Amino acid sequence: MDRVQVGDLTVSVTDVGRGPPVLLLHGLACGRRMWTHQIRALKERFRVIAYDQRGHGETDAPAAATSYSAGHLARDLVGVLDAFKIERAAVVGFSLGGGPALALAASKPERVSRLVLADVGAGADDPVKIEAMARRWGDLIRRGDTDELVCEMLRSELFKWYARRNTRRRDHMAALIRATPIDGLCFTLSEVLAKRKSLFRAAGVLQSIRVPTLVMVGEYDYVCSKASRLLAATIPDASLKVIAQSGHMVPLEQPAAFNAALLEFLNAAVM
Protein backbone atom coordinates (compact mmCIF):
# COMPACT_ATOMS: atom_id res chain seq x y z
CA MET A 1 0.00 0.00 0.00
CA ASP A 2 1.17 3.50 -0.88
CA ARG A 3 0.03 6.84 0.47
CA VAL A 4 0.04 9.86 -1.80
CA GLN A 5 -0.85 13.46 -1.10
CA VAL A 6 -3.60 14.99 -3.22
CA GLY A 7 -4.03 18.55 -2.06
CA ASP A 8 -4.89 18.36 1.63
CA LEU A 9 -5.99 14.73 1.30
CA THR A 10 -3.85 11.69 2.09
CA VAL A 11 -4.95 8.92 -0.25
CA SER A 12 -4.30 5.20 0.26
CA VAL A 13 -3.40 3.39 -2.95
CA THR A 14 -2.59 -0.12 -4.13
CA ASP A 15 -0.12 -0.03 -7.03
CA VAL A 16 0.92 -3.41 -8.45
CA GLY A 17 1.98 -5.00 -11.74
CA ARG A 18 3.66 -3.72 -14.86
CA GLY A 19 2.34 -2.63 -18.22
CA PRO A 20 -0.27 -0.15 -19.42
CA PRO A 21 -1.90 1.52 -16.40
CA VAL A 22 -5.42 0.60 -15.33
CA LEU A 23 -7.08 2.60 -12.58
CA LEU A 24 -9.93 1.08 -10.54
CA LEU A 25 -12.57 3.26 -8.82
CA HIS A 26 -14.70 1.51 -6.22
CA GLY A 27 -18.35 1.92 -5.24
CA LEU A 28 -20.12 3.36 -2.20
CA ALA A 29 -19.00 1.85 1.12
CA CYS A 30 -16.66 -0.60 -0.60
CA GLY A 31 -13.16 0.84 -0.72
CA ARG A 32 -10.35 -0.52 -2.85
CA ARG A 33 -10.59 -3.86 -1.01
CA MET A 34 -13.50 -4.77 -3.31
CA TRP A 35 -11.07 -5.14 -6.25
CA THR A 36 -9.14 -8.21 -5.01
CA HIS A 37 -10.31 -10.47 -7.85
CA GLN A 38 -9.63 -7.84 -10.51
CA ILE A 39 -6.17 -6.95 -9.24
CA ARG A 40 -5.20 -10.61 -9.28
CA ALA A 41 -6.47 -11.02 -12.85
CA LEU A 42 -4.94 -7.84 -14.26
CA LYS A 43 -1.55 -7.47 -12.60
CA GLU A 44 0.31 -9.93 -14.85
CA ARG A 45 -0.25 -7.73 -17.88
CA PHE A 46 -1.14 -4.29 -16.54
CA ARG A 47 -0.05 -1.83 -13.91
CA VAL A 48 -3.08 -1.76 -11.62
CA ILE A 49 -3.84 1.20 -9.40
CA ALA A 50 -6.75 1.07 -6.96
CA TYR A 51 -7.29 3.76 -4.36
CA ASP A 52 -9.71 4.47 -1.54
CA GLN A 53 -11.81 7.43 -2.59
CA ARG A 54 -12.30 10.40 -0.28
CA GLY A 55 -14.11 9.30 2.89
CA HIS A 56 -13.55 5.59 2.28
CA GLY A 57 -11.19 2.91 3.53
CA GLU A 58 -7.84 4.26 4.70
CA THR A 59 -7.98 7.54 2.78
CA ASP A 60 -8.72 10.66 4.82
CA ALA A 61 -12.38 11.28 5.68
CA PRO A 62 -12.79 15.05 6.20
CA ALA A 63 -15.24 15.96 8.96
CA ALA A 64 -17.04 18.70 7.01
CA ALA A 65 -19.77 18.32 4.42
CA THR A 66 -18.17 21.04 2.31
CA SER A 67 -15.23 18.70 1.65
CA TYR A 68 -17.45 16.31 -0.35
CA SER A 69 -19.00 16.62 -3.79
CA ALA A 70 -18.88 15.03 -7.22
CA GLY A 71 -16.31 17.69 -8.11
CA HIS A 72 -14.07 16.67 -5.20
CA LEU A 73 -14.08 13.04 -6.35
CA ALA A 74 -13.27 14.04 -9.93
CA ARG A 75 -10.38 16.27 -8.84
CA ASP A 76 -9.05 13.53 -6.57
CA LEU A 77 -8.87 11.18 -9.56
CA VAL A 78 -6.77 13.67 -11.53
CA GLY A 79 -4.60 14.21 -8.44
CA VAL A 80 -3.89 10.49 -8.10
CA LEU A 81 -2.89 10.22 -11.77
CA ASP A 82 -0.63 13.25 -11.36
CA ALA A 83 0.93 11.88 -8.15
CA PHE A 84 1.99 8.74 -10.02
CA LYS A 85 2.98 10.75 -13.12
CA ILE A 86 0.51 8.81 -15.26
CA GLU A 87 -0.43 10.78 -18.36
CA ARG A 88 -2.99 8.30 -19.70
CA ALA A 89 -4.75 5.27 -18.24
CA ALA A 90 -7.65 2.94 -18.71
CA VAL A 91 -10.22 3.91 -16.09
CA VAL A 92 -12.70 1.44 -14.57
CA GLY A 93 -15.49 3.09 -12.58
CA PHE A 94 -17.86 0.92 -10.58
CA SER A 95 -21.10 2.43 -9.22
CA LEU A 96 -20.03 5.56 -7.27
CA GLY A 97 -16.70 5.41 -9.11
CA GLY A 98 -18.50 5.93 -12.40
CA GLY A 99 -19.02 9.62 -11.63
CA PRO A 100 -15.35 10.67 -11.53
CA ALA A 101 -14.54 8.25 -14.36
CA LEU A 102 -17.15 9.89 -16.61
CA ALA A 103 -16.05 13.37 -15.56
CA LEU A 104 -12.44 12.64 -16.51
CA ALA A 105 -13.39 11.11 -19.86
CA ALA A 106 -15.57 14.13 -20.68
CA SER A 107 -13.21 16.89 -19.50
CA LYS A 108 -9.77 15.38 -20.17
CA PRO A 109 -10.21 12.65 -22.80
CA GLU A 110 -6.48 12.71 -23.58
CA ARG A 111 -5.90 11.12 -20.15
CA VAL A 112 -8.23 8.15 -20.68
CA SER A 113 -7.23 5.35 -23.03
CA ARG A 114 -10.29 3.19 -22.33
CA LEU A 115 -13.35 3.71 -20.14
CA VAL A 116 -15.28 1.01 -18.30
CA LEU A 117 -18.53 1.90 -16.55
CA ALA A 118 -19.81 -0.96 -14.40
CA ASP A 119 -23.22 -0.74 -12.73
CA VAL A 120 -23.23 3.06 -12.98
CA GLY A 121 -26.17 5.43 -12.53
CA ALA A 122 -28.12 3.74 -9.74
CA GLY A 123 -31.58 5.28 -9.56
CA ALA A 124 -30.92 7.78 -12.36
CA ASP A 125 -34.41 7.08 -13.71
CA ASP A 126 -35.94 7.74 -10.25
CA PRO A 127 -33.77 10.36 -8.48
CA VAL A 128 -36.40 11.08 -5.82
CA LYS A 129 -36.17 7.48 -4.61
CA ILE A 130 -32.37 7.48 -4.44
CA GLU A 131 -32.35 10.84 -2.62
CA ALA A 132 -34.83 9.48 -0.06
CA MET A 133 -32.64 6.42 0.47
CA ALA A 134 -29.56 8.60 0.99
CA ARG A 135 -31.43 10.76 3.53
CA ARG A 136 -32.73 7.70 5.41
CA TRP A 137 -29.28 6.17 5.67
CA GLY A 138 -27.86 9.52 6.73
CA ASP A 139 -30.46 9.75 9.49
CA LEU A 140 -29.42 6.34 10.81
CA ILE A 141 -25.78 7.48 10.87
CA ARG A 142 -26.64 10.66 12.77
CA ARG A 143 -28.65 8.63 15.28
CA GLY A 144 -25.64 6.36 15.81
CA ASP A 145 -27.62 3.26 14.81
CA THR A 146 -24.81 1.57 12.90
CA ASP A 147 -26.22 -1.96 13.20
CA GLU A 148 -29.55 -0.94 11.68
CA LEU A 149 -27.75 1.03 8.99
CA VAL A 150 -25.72 -2.02 7.94
CA CYS A 151 -28.82 -4.22 7.93
CA GLU A 152 -30.77 -1.73 5.84
CA MET A 153 -27.91 -1.29 3.37
CA LEU A 154 -27.61 -5.06 2.98
CA ARG A 155 -31.35 -5.22 2.21
CA SER A 156 -31.08 -2.53 -0.48
CA GLU A 157 -30.98 -3.18 -4.22
CA LEU A 158 -27.33 -2.14 -4.20
CA PHE A 159 -26.10 -4.96 -1.99
CA LYS A 160 -28.83 -7.55 -1.47
CA TRP A 161 -28.02 -9.90 -4.36
CA TYR A 162 -24.45 -10.31 -3.15
CA ALA A 163 -25.37 -10.44 0.54
CA ARG A 164 -28.03 -13.11 0.01
CA ARG A 165 -25.73 -15.56 -1.77
CA ASN A 166 -24.34 -17.00 1.47
CA THR A 167 -23.28 -16.01 4.97
CA ARG A 168 -19.65 -15.50 3.99
CA ARG A 169 -20.54 -12.96 1.33
CA ARG A 170 -23.02 -11.22 3.59
CA ASP A 171 -20.33 -10.91 6.26
CA HIS A 172 -17.85 -9.67 3.66
CA MET A 173 -20.20 -6.91 2.47
CA ALA A 174 -21.04 -5.95 6.04
CA ALA A 175 -17.31 -5.70 6.82
CA LEU A 176 -16.73 -3.40 3.84
CA ILE A 177 -19.55 -1.13 4.98
CA ARG A 178 -18.32 -1.06 8.58
CA ALA A 179 -14.78 -0.24 7.41
CA THR A 180 -16.08 2.96 5.80
CA PRO A 181 -15.49 6.00 8.05
CA ILE A 182 -18.77 7.34 9.42
CA ASP A 183 -18.11 10.93 8.28
CA GLY A 184 -17.11 9.71 4.86
CA LEU A 185 -20.23 7.60 4.43
CA CYS A 186 -22.56 10.29 5.80
CA PHE A 187 -21.23 13.09 3.61
CA THR A 188 -20.83 10.94 0.50
CA LEU A 189 -24.51 10.11 0.84
CA SER A 190 -25.66 13.68 1.46
CA GLU A 191 -23.29 15.63 -0.80
CA VAL A 192 -22.60 13.21 -3.66
CA LEU A 193 -25.33 10.59 -3.96
CA ALA A 194 -28.28 12.79 -3.00
CA LYS A 195 -27.14 15.73 -5.13
CA ARG A 196 -25.88 14.13 -8.30
CA LYS A 197 -27.38 15.04 -11.65
CA SER A 198 -29.39 12.31 -13.34
CA LEU A 199 -27.71 10.73 -16.36
CA PHE A 200 -30.99 11.21 -18.20
CA ARG A 201 -30.32 14.96 -18.06
CA ALA A 202 -26.70 14.69 -19.21
CA ALA A 203 -27.09 13.63 -22.84
CA GLY A 204 -24.80 16.40 -24.08
CA VAL A 205 -21.96 15.31 -21.80
CA LEU A 206 -22.37 11.65 -22.71
CA GLN A 207 -22.44 12.41 -26.45
CA SER A 208 -19.22 14.40 -26.10
CA ILE A 209 -17.18 11.45 -24.85
CA ARG A 210 -14.70 10.24 -27.44
CA VAL A 211 -13.14 7.34 -25.57
CA PRO A 212 -13.74 3.64 -26.35
CA THR A 213 -16.21 2.61 -23.65
CA LEU A 214 -17.48 -0.65 -22.21
CA VAL A 215 -20.66 -0.52 -20.14
CA MET A 216 -21.28 -3.50 -17.88
CA VAL A 217 -24.33 -4.24 -15.75
CA GLY A 218 -25.62 -7.19 -13.77
CA GLU A 219 -28.62 -9.06 -15.16
CA TYR A 220 -30.54 -8.35 -11.94
CA ASP A 221 -29.18 -4.86 -11.27
CA TYR A 222 -32.55 -3.21 -11.61
CA VAL A 223 -31.39 0.16 -10.22
CA CYS A 224 -28.79 0.52 -13.01
CA SER A 225 -30.45 -1.31 -15.89
CA LYS A 226 -32.01 1.71 -17.61
CA ALA A 227 -29.02 3.96 -16.92
CA SER A 228 -26.61 1.38 -18.36
CA ARG A 229 -28.61 1.11 -21.55
CA LEU A 230 -28.70 4.89 -21.78
CA LEU A 231 -24.90 5.06 -21.40
CA ALA A 232 -24.33 2.42 -24.06
CA ALA A 233 -26.78 4.03 -26.48
CA THR A 234 -25.60 7.63 -25.97
CA ILE A 235 -21.81 7.45 -25.64
CA PRO A 236 -20.26 7.12 -29.11
CA ASP A 237 -18.16 3.96 -29.53
CA ALA A 238 -19.73 2.31 -26.47
CA SER A 239 -20.81 -1.31 -26.08
CA LEU A 240 -22.97 -3.03 -23.47
CA LYS A 241 -22.18 -6.28 -21.65
CA VAL A 242 -24.84 -7.78 -19.37
CA ILE A 243 -23.35 -10.12 -16.77
CA ALA A 244 -25.65 -13.07 -16.11
CA GLN A 245 -26.73 -14.17 -12.65
CA SER A 246 -25.61 -10.97 -10.94
CA GLY A 247 -27.12 -8.03 -9.14
CA HIS A 248 -25.41 -4.68 -8.57
CA MET A 249 -22.10 -5.90 -7.12
CA VAL A 250 -20.91 -7.55 -10.33
CA PRO A 251 -17.12 -7.47 -9.65
CA LEU A 252 -17.73 -9.43 -6.44
CA GLU A 253 -20.73 -11.53 -7.47
CA GLN A 254 -19.41 -12.79 -10.80
CA PRO A 255 -15.68 -11.99 -10.83
CA ALA A 256 -14.79 -14.54 -13.52
CA ALA A 257 -17.33 -13.19 -16.02
CA PHE A 258 -16.52 -9.59 -15.12
CA ASN A 259 -12.78 -10.14 -15.47
CA ALA A 260 -13.16 -11.95 -18.80
CA ALA A 261 -15.13 -9.04 -20.29
CA LEU A 262 -12.75 -6.49 -18.78
CA LEU A 263 -9.61 -8.25 -20.06
CA GLU A 264 -11.04 -8.70 -23.54
CA PHE A 265 -11.80 -4.96 -23.69
CA LEU A 266 -8.45 -3.84 -22.29
CA ASN A 267 -6.41 -6.30 -24.35
CA ALA A 268 -7.94 -4.93 -27.55
CA ALA A 269 -6.04 -1.71 -26.89
CA VAL A 270 -2.61 -3.36 -26.49
CA MET A 271 -2.69 -6.10 -29.10
Side-chain angles (χ1 to χ4, degrees):
M1 183 189 71
D2 293 319
R3 292 187 183 274
V4 298
Q5 201 67 27
V6 177
D8 294 334
L9 199 73
T10 301
V11 179
S12 291
V13 185
T14 296
D15 177 13
V16 297
R18 292 184 178 181
V22 178
L23 193 142
L24 307 175
L25 288 159
H26 64 76
L28 176 72
C30 293
R32 73 184 190 281
R33 290 167 57 195
M34 72 163 285
W35 293 117
T36 301
H37 301 292
Q38 287 68 48
I39 292 171
R40 186 181 302 124
L42 293 171
K43 68 180 182 179
E44 296 304 317
R45 188 162 189 183
F46 298 92
R47 179 184 181 185
V48 187
I49 296 171
Y51 70 93
D52 288 326
Q53 295 194 76
R54 175 181 298 256
H56 284 76
E58 295 174 292
T59 287
D60 289 347
T66 53
S67 294
Y68 296 81
S69 69
H72 282 91
L73 299 185
R75 289 189 292 273
D76 292 344
L77 169 54
V78 174
V80 170
L81 289 174
D82 288 347
F84 284 96
K85 296 180 171 55
I86 295 173
E87 292 297 322
R88 196 163 183 254
V91 179
V92 181
F94 167 72
S95 195
L96 176 72
L102 272 170
L104 182 65
S107 64
K108 300 179 185 295
E110 71 280 1
R111 305 205 67 173
V112 182
S113 59
R114 303 225 130 193
L115 176 65
V116 179
L117 302 171
D119 301 271
V120 169
D125 55 321
D126 191 357
V128 173
K129 184 175 181 180
I130 209 77
E131 289 168 16
M133 182 190 75
R135 286 195 302 271
R136 186 169 63 252
W137 290 356
D139 288 342
L140 289 171
I141 292 171
R142 285 184 284 274
R143 281 166 25 198
D145 199 343
T146 304
D147 290 341
E148 179 56 30
L149 170 69
V150 172
C151 288
E152 184 158 328
M153 291 180 73
L154 292 177
R155 290 193 296 265
S156 74
E157 287 291 334
L158 298 179
F159 305 115
K160 72 177 186 181
W161 291 96
Y162 181 60
R164 288 177 178 177
R165 285 179 177 266
N166 54 51
T167 300
R168 181 178 63 82
R169 294 189 177 190
R170 179 182 176 85
D171 290 345
H172 178 236
M173 193 66 245
L176 292 178
I177 295 171
R178 290 183 184 277
T180 306
I182 287 297
D183 283 341
L185 182 55
C186 182
F187 295 134
T188 300
L189 288 168
S190 66
E191 306 305 312
V192 181
L193 197 63
K195 294 183 178 180
R196 71 183 181 188
K197 183 179 180 181
S198 170
L199 291 174
F200 288 87
R201 299 173 59 191
V205 173
L206 299 179
Q207 290 167 356
S208 75
I209 293 174
R210 294 295 185 269
V211 176
T213 302
L214 172 64
V215 180
M216 286 198 272
V217 66
E219 179 184 6
Y220 306 129
D221 186 359
Y222 302 123
V223 293
C224 289
S225 177
K226 292 180 180 179
S228 295
R229 283 162 175 78
L230 172 75
L231 290 167
T234 309
I235 297 174
D237 197 18
S239 60
L240 176 66
K241 174 69 175 180
V242 178
I243 304 297
Q245 299 296 310
S246 183
H248 182 71
M249 298 295 297
V250 171
L252 286 172
E253 291 182 56
Q254 296 294 344
F258 182 91
N259 293 348
L262 178 59
L263 281 165
E264 180 181 8
F265 180 67
L266 294 177
N267 284 332
V270 297
M271 291 175 65

